[in-house]
Amino acid sequence: NFSGLATFQVFANYNDNEKVLFENQLEAKVGMTSTPSDEYHKYLFNTDQFRLYNKLGLSAFKNWYYTISSEFKTQFFANYKTNTNDMISNFMSPAQLDITLGMDFKQNKKNYTLSLLTSPLAYTFMYINDKITDPAAFNVEPGHSTANLVGSKFTGNLTWTIIPSIVCESKLEYFTTYDKVIASWENTFNFVLNRYLSTKLFVHARYDDGVKLTEDNKSY
């Protein structure tokens, strides 16, 4: 059995004496594993993500900022159901664009940084192409290639230095149209073992009750 994971992150941030904050992040993750039991594919991608995030904040009072943010997400490669040629997802399928407007609470302490973004106005645009087997898995109606979702969103980001050799990064996203909920919670633990070795543990949970349940997919 063979498996591998590659991650790439770039940050570019601007801070005008806490009056204007402009944060930018580019993140790419690709992970694959060999699948000896799959008659159709020698390997499958179990982690595949491209994300571009931008956030502009203008100081309101104390730790609060008027904020507008955008986030674009897709993946690099095609992914298939095991032992079939049914395509689950592919590059730009889905392609998701989120735009939010709200207030951001920011706090920087010695051992942690915290951001709590409350957005009463949030818009999500979804796009898939016609090669995807189940568009309903991405809140897109059968026979359509796009979906427009309007609602509210909460985003929380925490970077916590537990001890100098252990750092926890946590991101919680909760979007609701007041009819359906799309939520995700990413947790990454970075362990520095010594000056040459480090290791990373990450857990990513996702919930989406807008998808249609089927015999193959009985859970949100």
Side-chain angles (χ1 to χ4, degrees):
N1 186 63
F2 168 81
S3 63
L5 173 68
T7 64
F8 176 76
Q9 287 182 317
V10 176
F11 303 88
N13 300 324
Y14 172 80
N15 185 337
D16 181 18
N17 296 319
E18 306 295 333
K19 296 178 180 179
V20 178
L21 301 180
F22 188 34
E23 301 175 2
N24 305 274
Q25 178 183 351
L26 173 66
E27 181 180 41
K29 294 181 181 180
V30 175
M32 68 175 70
T33 181
S34 58
T35 53
S37 61
D38 193 323
E39 299 178 358
Y40 290 80
H41 312 97
K42 293 183 179 180
Y43 60 89
L44 291 174
F45 293 96
N46 53 10
T47 301
D48 191 357
Q49 183 180 50
F50 173 84
R51 176 164 60 190
L52 177 63
Y53 181 72
N54 310 98
K55 182 168 66 173
L56 175 63
L58 302 177
S59 179
F61 50 90
K62 203 172 182 181
N63 295 330
W64 289 89
Y65 293 82
Y66 302 111
T67 302
I68 182 171
S69 69
S70 66
E71 184 174 31
F72 174 78
K73 292 184 284 189
T74 187
Q75 63 188 67
F76 294 99
F77 304 103
N79 199 15
Y80 301 88
K81 289 184 180 179
T82 305
N83 282 312
T84 72
N85 280 322
D86 295 340
M87 186 182 293
I88 300 173
S89 55
N90 199 356
F91 177 69
M92 295 298 289
S93 292
Q96 179 177 334
L97 175 64
D98 300 328
I99 299 175
T100 64
L101 183 65
M103 296 287 291
D104 188 15
F105 174 82
K106 299 182 71 67
Q107 191 171 64
N108 295 309
K109 295 295 184 178
K110 182 178 180 180
N111 63 333
Y112 75 88
T113 61
L114 176 67
S115 170
L116 302 175
L117 175 58
T118 302
S119 305
L121 181 59
Y123 168 72
T124 294
F125 173 78
M126 301 287 297
Y127 170 81
I128 62 171
N129 62 36
D130 56 5
K131 296 181 180 180
I132 302 302
T133 303
D134 185 15
F138 306 105
N139 291 281
V140 177
E141 294 293 331
H144 294 76
S145 60
T146 62
N148 297 276
L149 307 175
V150 179
S152 299
K153 186 175 183 179
F154 171 81
T155 304
N157 284 280
L158 171 67
T159 300
W160 176 28
T161 303
I162 302 173
I163 58 176
S165 60
I166 302 178
V167 178
C168 170
E169 298 176 0
S170 183
K171 180 177 182 178
L172 173 66
E173 291 185 335
Y174 183 93
F175 172 77
T176 178
T177 64
Y178 306 103
D179 179 48
K180 62 184 70 175
V181 170
I182 302 175
S184 67
W185 190 16
E186 300 180 36
N187 295 277
T188 304
F189 295 88
N190 296 290
F191 301 89
V192 179
L193 304 180
N194 53 47
R195 62 186 299 181
Y196 302 108
L197 295 174
S198 64
T199 190
K200 180 179 292 187
L201 169 68
F202 69 91
V203 180
H204 185 179
R206 190 170 190 273
Y207 176 85
D208 185 352
D209 64 0
V211 304
K212 294 183 179 180
L213 301 184
T214 64
E215 287 297 321
D216 296 328
N217 180 31
K218 300 181 179 180
S219 172
Y220 292 125

